[in-house]
Amino acid sequence: MNGALAGVRVIELTRGVAGPYAAKLLADQGADVIKLEPPGGDPSRAFGPFPHDEPHTERSGLFLHVNRNKRSLVVDPGSIEGAARIRALAATAQLVLEDYAPGAAAAWGWGWQTLQAANPALVMTSITAFGQSGPYRDYRGSELTLQAIGGPLYTNGHQDREPLKLAGHYAHYHAGAVAALASLLALRRAEASGAGDWIDIALHECQ
């Protein structure tokens, strides 16, 4: 695919909305995005809308929207074989996007230090609810809790009623856009210096 990012290879190990949306934005600009789905597929395959309201893993409107213009492989990121495959692919790429729990990638054998040692110019962007460090790093975050702790709920709704959640996947789309932009800035710097970077995206901070 032609575009501003033609020649850029992205290895995507993300699920749901934020990470896949970030990768979609890059793919829409011509990046070669290889999505590595875990066994069982991306959980977003179970979310609608579906044609005629009939659930089907290949017909999820959400999944198709945030995963267009990508190639796909099935890889178990927690297995020895899967980690080896990820390391091999990352050695050929400019960017890795991942959204597993803090510390998981390193424990499985494809953390930042390991990938960067083999590919010094690599950029790795990690997307989690509350970041790679800090007291909330091991907490999970839903769309509701992320909007609440991030701030939008405070300003939305009526003064004499409880706060209102913004519709859809607002926090996740916002974080995906931020992740895409941060990754592009890091890629530009890596092109100029030859040194990659590890970008830490916390969804709640993007609010």
Side-chain angles (χ1 to χ4, degrees):
M1 180 178 179
N2 295 326
L5 297 180
V8 174
R9 173 169 285 183
V10 179
I11 307 303
E12 181 200 337
L13 292 118
T14 68
R15 305 143 299 161
V17 176
Y21 183 64
K24 181 199 86 76
L25 294 176
L26 302 177
D28 286 348
Q29 296 302 317
D32 177 21
V33 177
I34 303 175
K35 182 179 180 71
L36 305 184
E37 288 193 67
D42 188 319
S44 69
R45 289 179 179 272
F47 288 85
F50 298 101
H52 309 296
D53 292 326
E54 297 176 1
H56 192 289
T57 56
E58 296 294 334
R59 298 176 183 174
S60 161
L62 176 61
F63 177 84
L64 294 174
H65 169 57
V66 296
N67 289 288
R68 70 187 184 200
N69 293 328
K70 302 177 185 179
R71 297 190 285 162
S72 180
L73 294 170
V74 175
V75 174
D76 182 354
S79 70
I80 294 174
E81 296 80 5
R85 188 73 179 275
I86 292 167
R87 291 193 298 268
L89 287 169
T92 70
Q94 287 76 44
L95 173 65
V96 170
L97 285 169
E98 67 92 16
D99 68 354
Y100 286 90
W108 291 336
W110 51 273
W112 160 245
Q113 287 77 12
T114 298
L115 299 185
Q116 192 266 344
N119 185 355
L122 181 71
V123 172
M124 183 170 182
T125 300
S126 296
I127 305 169
T128 57
F130 299 106
Q132 297 295 310
S133 60
Y136 292 173
R137 70 185 292 266
D138 295 321
Y139 290 178
R140 296 181 181 181
S142 67
E143 182 69 29
L144 179 61
T145 59
L146 291 166
Q147 289 191 31
I149 197 170
L153 259 69
Y154 180 77
T155 58
N156 200 35
H158 299 283
Q159 187 174 6
D160 59 344
R161 295 290 302 274
E162 66 277 1
L164 289 175
K165 169 186 170 294
L166 295 169
H169 305 279
Y170 175 86
H172 285 77
Y173 280 123
H174 193 175
V178 172
L181 176 59
S183 297
L184 287 174
L185 293 172
L187 285 171
R188 186 64 181 270
R189 184 170 61 186
E191 290 176 357
S193 67
D197 207 349
W198 185 14
I199 308 301
D200 179 8
I201 299 292
L203 272 77
H204 91 281
E205 288 184 343
C206 295
Q207 296 303 287

